[in-house]
Amino acid sequence: MAIKKEMQDAINDQINAEMFSAYLYLSMASWFEDEDLPGFGNWMRCQYMEETMHAMKFFNFLNERGGRAVLKAIEGPDTSWKSYDEAFAAVVKHEEYISERINKLVTLARKLEDYATESFLLWYVDEQVEEEDTSNTILVKLKRLKDDQNGLLRYDEEMSARVLSALAVPTILDQPVVA
Ligand code: FEO
């Protein structure tokens, strides 16, 4: 059964929200790198790619359900923040906002008795728990390191180790990557 227009429109709005998330984190990558914190820049670049994958997973789903992804203009994100912890407080707030949006999509899928979409959305429900937890953890650590420059540089080095999980890649393609 093809996806209903109301559900498709809501998912298209979510594709836009995920692309905005990608744009926001890419903007933060630029800012952190300009602040000479390349590790945080790397973390944000990974986050940017992960958000693009979130958008693409929705994009693929619409195609599979006989719908169509319709792309809209992406709003310009902020380009600077007053402090490092203020930047991460913005990440936490944004992820909480995205979680609310995902919950509303689940509510809509239930209302429309669209169980295929509801089942698909549960991946995002779980993902948001992780997104909120990770950003909160980093925020708490940054607050603790506020006046500790050496600690901040050590943390930056730690952040440079993040690589995008290979397991996340198939979510772009919705098929395993073959060598
Ligand atoms: Fe796609 Fe960070 O939520």
Side-chain angles (χ1 to χ4, degrees), residues 18 47 51 54 95 98 128 131:
E18 300 289 350
Q47 198 61 18
E51 296 300 352
H54 292 173
E95 289 302 331
I98 293 291
Q128 282 311 118
E131 294 274 80

Side-chain angles (χ1 to χ4, degrees), residues 60-77:
N60 292 347
F61 179 72
L62 283 182
N63 287 346
E64 281 171 9
R65 293 287 314 282
R68 188 161 88 88
V70 178
L71 304 183
K72 298 166 191 181
I74 305 167
E75 198 188 318

